[in-house]
Amino acid sequence: MQSTDIAPLPTAFRRIGWSNLFAQFSEQIALAAAPLAAVLLLAAGPAETGWLQTAQTLPFLLLSIPAGLMVDRASRRRLMVSTEALRAVALLAIPLLLAAESLNLTWLALLGALGAIGTVCYSVAAPAFVPSVVPRERLADANRWLELARSAAYAGGPALGGALVGWIGVSTAYGLAAGLSILAMLLLTGLPKDEAPSGPRRDLLDDLKEGARFVAGHDLLRPILMTAVFFNVSWFVFQAVYVAYAVQNLGLSATQVGFTLGIYGAGMIVGAVLAPAIAKQVTFGTLILLGPFAGLCAAGVMFATLWMPSVYLVAASFFLFGVGPIIWTISTMTLRQAVTPNAMLGRVSALIMTATFGARPIGAAIGASVAAHLGIAACLALATAGFLIQLLLIGFSRVPRLRDISEAV
């Protein structure tokens, strides 16, 4: 995982990159398998799959801030290794329960939430670890490789998970996910040892307040945070009901559902690959704006499937959901790393993750509730309105006026 036209990125980063690839594949296979197992094996409907999504994303809301405080106070390497091991154990437990004929929605939700703890800690620790092993001028390149790996996982993971569930069974999908998680853990153990920061310990609440004041008072981070909140709430309003909608309303098979989710990852790959070329043609602010714009377009296409049910429209929607927001992720992470002091990166990353990824269980809960009372059409309409709001939030901020990253520092 290295650039072909400039010097290779450091060996430590390449270990992070490969472990990130395996961990992301593990997560995406499991996320694709969970709602399919719920619908096909446990007769779950849209409301049940919505609550399942809520449970599986709740750790992002509850644990991101504690994880961020740990990242700034303890060994980032040790935290990533231990929580990745926890994810592997949670994944292995599901096929064991299935073999014992004891799997139910409660166990599926609880183990999904347990596995998500690994994702939370990895996602908070990695952005804080990378600047310590990658020169500042190479951060954008490093972030692009991380997101390219994530994109590949989003492309192949759901398709593979759906295919395995449809052809062989749920146990195979979860077994493969657990194996990939173990590989990610082994790669992380080879990273250079990092020690906890020295010096007097500060009060946890003071640390948290300092990070919150920094984000809330920054005229670039604040609108990015608000935009991401609305994007994620809207995305999970839709995600909460998508599998049930696809199977029960659009008539898609498990394999086709996995394929459409894989198209999302394909869009991410295209966006990550094209990001450097696009960045040369547009300003840095415009580059950031592309993600929210593509999100609104994608939501509109998916909304149209209510009247024109077509797997091709669904695929087009997921492609747009992938290609634009991945450019957003790469550019905004680079911006965050550039403007945030390293000693505060864990807290700032945790606060942003709490507000953005933490919005996911809220969106899933809203989607489940709206689906239960008003139907899937109302969910799609609500999600589309949310994507409009997130575009307006970033569009009227200072961010689109940035010509390059130097104007942000």
Side-chain angles (χ1 to χ4, degrees), residues 228-374:
V229 167
F230 275 91
F231 181 97
N232 280 278
V233 168
S234 304
W235 173 240
F236 269 78
V237 167
F238 161 65
Q239 282 283 85
V241 299
Y242 170 67
V243 171
Y245 174 59
V247 173
Q248 297 171 0
N249 295 72
L250 301 179
L252 303 187
S253 66
T255 301
Q256 288 175 315
V257 170
F259 168 76
T260 57
L261 293 173
I263 290 293
Y264 171 57
M268 294 175 71
I269 291 176
V270 171
V273 169
L274 293 181
I278 297 174
K280 294 177 180 178
Q281 303 299 319
V282 301
T283 65
F284 186 67
T286 301
L287 189 71
I288 292 176
L289 192 63
L290 288 177
F293 177 74
L296 176 61
C297 293
V301 173
M302 186 63 69
F303 191 49
T305 62
L306 290 169
W307 297 275
M308 296 177 288
S310 165
V311 68
Y312 300 108
L313 280 181
V314 172
S317 175
F318 273 111
F319 182 82
L320 289 171
F321 271 130
V323 70
I326 198 64
I327 296 175
W328 159 277
T329 301
I330 295 169
S331 54
T332 57
M333 184 181 294
T334 301
L335 175 63
R336 186 167 82 231
Q337 291 169 330
V339 303
T340 306
N342 186 267
M344 202 185 292
L345 267 172
R347 279 166 285 163
V348 170
S349 295
L351 286 164
I352 289 177
M353 181 173 292
T354 300
T356 56
F357 284 65
R360 295 181 174 190
I362 296 173
I366 292 172
S369 180
V370 171
H373 295 93
L374 300 175

Side-chain angles (χ1 to χ4, degrees), residues 362-404:
I362 296 173
I366 292 172
S369 180
V370 171
H373 295 93
L374 300 175
I376 288 179
C379 284
L380 297 184
L382 182 61
T384 304
F387 281 109
L388 174 61
I389 293 172
Q390 55 95 40
L391 178 60
L392 294 176
L393 283 170
I394 196 69
F396 285 101
S397 73
R398 185 169 77 91
V399 174
R401 299 197 297 273
L402 292 175
R403 289 177 295 178
D404 53 56

Side-chain angles (χ1 to χ4, degrees), residues 95-293:
L96 293 177
L97 285 170
L98 191 60
E101 299 183 350
S102 299
L103 185 65
N104 55 38
L105 281 172
T106 300
W107 274 117
L108 200 59
L110 287 175
L111 290 169
L114 192 64
I117 294 174
T119 304
V120 172
C121 292
Y122 196 114
S123 300
V124 172
F129 199 101
V130 167
S132 68
V133 298
V134 176
R136 182 170 179 170
E137 63 272 13
R138 301 295 304 280
L139 283 177
D141 195 33
N143 290 331
R144 186 171 71 90
W145 281 114
L146 287 178
E147 292 307 319
L148 190 58
R150 187 164 74 102
S151 303
Y154 271 75
L160 183 56
L164 289 173
V165 171
W167 299 343
I168 304 175
V170 171
S171 294
T172 305
Y174 276 102
L176 177 59
L180 290 169
S181 187
I182 292 170
L183 284 175
M185 179 188 67
L186 293 175
L187 282 163
L188 291 171
T189 60
L191 289 174
K193 292 184 178 180
D194 62 319
E195 301 299 329
S198 59
R201 292 287 186 180
R202 296 182 53 187
D203 182 80
L204 288 173
L205 188 58
D206 288 340
D207 278 356
L208 184 59
K209 288 179 179 178
E210 183 183 30
R213 283 195 297 268
F214 181 80
V215 174
H218 203 287
D219 66 340
L220 298 175
L221 295 182
R222 186 177 58 253
I224 285 173
L225 174 67
M226 295 172 62
T227 300
V229 167
F230 275 91
F231 181 97
N232 280 278
V233 168
S234 304
W235 173 240
F236 269 78
V237 167
F238 161 65
Q239 282 283 85
V241 299
Y242 170 67
V243 171
Y245 174 59
V247 173
Q248 297 171 0
N249 295 72
L250 301 179
L252 303 187
S253 66
T255 301
Q256 288 175 315
V257 170
F259 168 76
T260 57
L261 293 173
I263 290 293
Y264 171 57
M268 294 175 71
I269 291 176
V270 171
V273 169
L274 293 181
I278 297 174
K280 294 177 180 178
Q281 303 299 319
V282 301
T283 65
F284 186 67
T286 301
L287 189 71
I288 292 176
L289 192 63
L290 288 177
F293 177 74

